[in-house]
Amino acid sequence: MGNKTFTIIKPDAFGAGNSGPIIEKIEKAGFNIENMRLLKLDEDSASKFYSVHKEKPFFGRLCDYMCSGPIIVMELNKENAVEDFRKLIGATNPEDAEEGTIRKLFATSIEANAIHGSDSDENAEIEINFFFN
Ligand code: GDP
């Protein structure tokens, strides 16, 4: 069980002015922010970051969307970080997300779903290195 995860406040949430309330929920849930950057992705970086989805029909749209505005990337620290953070953000599709989760509160669609959270300790490490090294 690792103690690191990685998150992105996605363009829809940043653009709607929801970064503040999202960061507040993350901190209140016990995560420490170890590293944080505001940036805008280019298509090349977005397609590298989401390369696991490159065969999916929504890949092109997903990359365009991730480049559509500024994002905030963060390295987070907490015991059992990956699993606890996935619980805090809720299901990929906000229609399926539990009440009180970040996606239930702030996502507008399965694509514009407000926030990213690493799905394994291994991917958390890869994603942290992608943005912070
Ligand atoms: P996550 O781990 O919950 O973020 O979900 P995935 O790794 O399966 O998908 C990555 C991201 O692709 C999601 O967070 C969504 O932004 C987007 N996405 C996933 N499934 C779909 C889909 O069916 N259609 C569209 N347009 N976007 C999707």
Side-chain angles (χ1 to χ4, degrees), residues 113-131:
N113 62 0
I115 192 155
H116 167 83
S118 307
D119 63 5
S120 66
D121 290 342
E122 188 193 357
N123 283 336
E125 192 73 37
I126 292 168
E127 292 170 357
I128 288 164
N129 288 335
F130 189 92
F131 285 99

Side-chain angles (χ1 to χ4, degrees), residues 36-47:
M36 182 184 222
R37 280 175 65 201
L38 172 69
L39 62 116
K40 199 160 178 291
L41 279 177
D42 58 27
E43 288 282 341
D44 188 46
S45 301
S47 50

Side-chain angles (χ1 to χ4, degrees), residues 73-129:
V73 297
M74 288 181 272
E75 176 184 346
L76 302 173
N77 197 281
K78 182 184 184 293
E79 211 173 276
N80 199 32
V82 165
E83 196 185 333
D84 286 0
F85 197 74
R86 295 287 297 194
K87 275 193 201 133
L88 180 68
I89 70 177
T92 307
N93 187 343
E95 286 178 14
D96 303 329
E98 279 185 38
E99 291 299 328
T101 60
I102 290 175
R103 282 170 167 166
K104 187 68 173 187
L105 289 166
F106 300 109
T108 51
S109 71
I110 190 169
E111 178 178 82
N113 62 0
I115 192 155
H116 167 83
S118 307
D119 63 5
S120 66
D121 290 342
E122 188 193 357
N123 283 336
E125 192 73 37
I126 292 168
E127 292 170 357
I128 288 164
N129 288 335

Side-chain angles (χ1 to χ4, degrees), residues 47-48 50-60 62-63:
S47 50
K48 273 190 197 127
Y50 277 121
S51 61
V52 51
H53 293 306
K54 63 175 181 291
E55 307 302 334
K56 303 263 174 69
F58 59 82
F59 180 68
L62 172 61
C63 293

Side-chain angles (χ1 to χ4, degrees), residues 7-19:
T7 187
I8 303 177
I9 298 178
K10 295 186 179 183
D12 58 303
F14 183 88
N18 288 327
S19 304

